[in-house]
Amino acid sequence: MSLGRIVFSRSPRSERGLLSGWNRNLVNDLSCNGPRQPTTRVMSRCYKLHTCSTSKSVVSPLLRSNICGTPSSYQSAAPSLRSFSEGPSSSEEDDWGAEYEALTAQRNKNIIMNPAGQGKNILPGGYVLKKDPKKGGYRKVILEHSLGYFWAIKELATTNKKPILSNNAVIPAAEAEEFPFLGDLVNLKGEAASIPDFFTRNNRSKDASAKCTLVAISYKDFGAQLLPSWIDPFDMAFRKGVNNEADRYEVVRIIINEGRMVKLLSPFITSGTKKNVPESDHANTLLYYGIDAEEFRDILRMHNIYSGYIFLVDGIGRVRWAGSGEGTEEEIHSMIGIAKDLTKRLQKQLPQSQNPRIGKRAIKRITSRGQS
């Protein structure tokens, strides 16, 4: 059976043009120039996949397409389009390959994936590579089909609830990447918000060292229960007690609720969240109710939705440190030290800014008064 050429066509996902996956709408084309007749496999995603074949046999889904190379080669770079096709590449194939590489390039490269977990093998769009025992190559398989629907729960045991590892040091400013965009957020007071603008709303100086924000993200209740192990020590170190610069440190909780029914259940979710979050933090607790936040999750490598994730963001919205799971004593000590380093430069400048500026005219007046 000849698989023929694979042709990809793109459709916009949202007003911002954010593409979060592929539309696995497999179409069997009996001839390259003839009309396309859809098969029964239709899954709503962002890309529409069509096939061209000169044979009259039904083309199998994308899972049967072979991919050259090894899994390790796909961890560091996106595959070229020719590895997905047996025929010559076309302009549409090149466009799809460029979009695929763009999705991979959006991932934050400073986040360290746990080598014992499955996150390092996940491709954009929720795919993994699986070896074909018959042909010896590798093929793209939907994540749940390859690892099972309970792979995330199993990963919590193998990684000690840490799908990503904590950075040992602060991410250099030259290498730091901006926190990804996520809109349609609302806090527990009913106010609309979007990130990363919410992190920098009070930084009028636009100085990276003027502010440090601890961002705690959870998808499930189990992950939310892990976050206080990071938040409480951060509060004790910077936001509670005697601290004249407490306004320079902030904790923002983000709770992601995905699905088609979450909008209808949002009043009950919001009411339950208010009971578990102190009233003083209601303004900084953001909730997302939407069908899909896959691209946002993929950029920050939050593939396992059962864990909790922690990020330190500087004054201009760049990710300077990341962690996950339950914080250990060593990790918490490192996180607090990095938060101090992110705000150290402005602390040194504060005593100098308190001195009044004296212009040339004022100096002449003072000297003239002294001579008289």
Side-chain angles (χ1 to χ4, degrees), residues 3-44:
L3 188 61
R5 275 195 311 119
I6 300 179
V7 180
F8 298 87
S9 62
R10 184 183 65 185
S11 60
R13 176 66 184 258
S14 64
E15 295 179 0
R16 291 180 59 88
L18 299 178
L19 304 178
S20 62
W22 292 270
N23 185 336
R24 307 181 192 94
N25 182 11
L26 195 62
V27 178
N28 180 26
D29 191 359
L30 298 181
S31 65
C32 292
N33 299 323
R36 298 185 176 96
Q37 299 178 357
T39 61
T40 57
R41 180 179 177 84
V42 177
M43 297 183 66
S44 177

Side-chain angles (χ1 to χ4, degrees), residues 94-114:
D94 294 338
D95 292 342
W96 181 87
E99 291 293 344
Y100 183 85
E101 292 178 0
L103 289 172
T104 306
Q106 289 180 5
R107 287 180 166 181
N108 194 309
K109 302 173 184 60
N110 299 309
I111 295 177
I112 306 173
M113 304 304 299
N114 195 322

Side-chain angles (χ1 to χ4, degrees), residues 11-270:
S11 60
R13 176 66 184 258
S14 64
E15 295 179 0
R16 291 180 59 88
L18 299 178
L19 304 178
S20 62
W22 292 270
N23 185 336
R24 307 181 192 94
N25 182 11
L26 195 62
V27 178
N28 180 26
D29 191 359
L30 298 181
S31 65
C32 292
N33 299 323
R36 298 185 176 96
Q37 299 178 357
T39 61
T40 57
R41 180 179 177 84
V42 177
M43 297 183 66
S44 177
R45 286 291 181 186
C46 201
Y47 282 90
K48 297 180 179 179
L49 175 62
H50 307 280
T51 61
C52 295
S53 176
T54 56
S55 64
K56 295 185 179 181
S57 57
V58 178
V59 180
S60 60
L62 182 61
L63 305 182
R64 298 188 55 183
S65 61
N66 292 334
I67 296 177
C68 302
T70 60
S72 60
S73 63
Y74 285 85
Q75 298 173 16
S76 58
S80 63
L81 186 62
R82 289 183 179 272
S83 61
F84 293 90
S85 173
E86 295 180 357
S89 62
S90 63
S91 59
E92 293 183 350
E93 290 174 336
D94 294 338
D95 292 342
W96 181 87
E99 291 293 344
Y100 183 85
E101 292 178 0
L103 289 172
T104 306
Q106 289 180 5
R107 287 180 166 181
N108 194 309
K109 302 173 184 60
N110 299 309
I111 295 177
I112 306 173
M113 304 304 299
N114 195 322
Q118 297 291 345
K120 65 182 185 300
N121 300 322
I122 298 178
L123 303 176
Y127 290 98
V128 294
L129 293 179
K130 188 175 181 180
K131 188 173 183 178
D132 192 336
K134 295 182 179 180
K135 298 183 178 180
Y138 288 87
R139 59 179 182 176
K140 267 195 351 177
V141 183
I142 299 174
L143 178 62
E144 290 79 7
H145 291 181
S146 176
L147 304 179
Y149 288 93
F150 301 101
W151 72 270
I153 298 177
K154 296 178 182 178
E155 187 185 47
L156 293 179
T158 58
T159 60
N160 194 22
K161 297 173 285 189
K162 293 182 178 296
I164 64 176
L165 301 178
S166 302
N167 297 93
N168 296 326
V170 62
I171 299 172
E175 302 176 5
E177 300 181 22
E178 186 180 9
F179 201 90
F181 173 84
L182 184 64
D184 298 330
L185 294 164
V186 59
N187 64 8
L188 292 180
K189 291 187 175 182
E191 301 169 345
S194 64
I195 53 176
D197 294 340
F198 187 82
F199 307 146
T200 61
R201 67 194 185 283
N202 296 326
N203 186 8
R204 298 180 179 178
S205 64
K206 302 302 179 182
D207 191 330
S209 60
K211 194 176 184 64
C212 178
T213 304
L214 178 71
V215 183
I217 303 178
S218 62
Y219 293 82
K220 305 292 184 181
D221 289 339
F222 183 82
Q225 295 174 5
L226 303 175
L227 298 179
S229 62
W230 304 93
I231 297 175
D232 293 344
F234 188 87
D235 280 340
M236 293 299 297
F238 301 111
R239 303 175 65 216
K240 295 181 180 179
V242 180
N243 189 353
N244 297 329
E245 298 181 344
D247 57 341
R248 298 179 60 197
Y249 301 93
E250 187 177 34
V251 174
V252 177
R253 295 176 174 86
I254 302 177
I255 302 173
I256 308 295
N257 302 283
E258 296 176 286
R260 297 185 180 275
M261 300 295 294
V262 293
K263 281 286 187 180
L264 300 177
L265 301 176
S266 59
F268 304 99
I269 299 175
T270 303

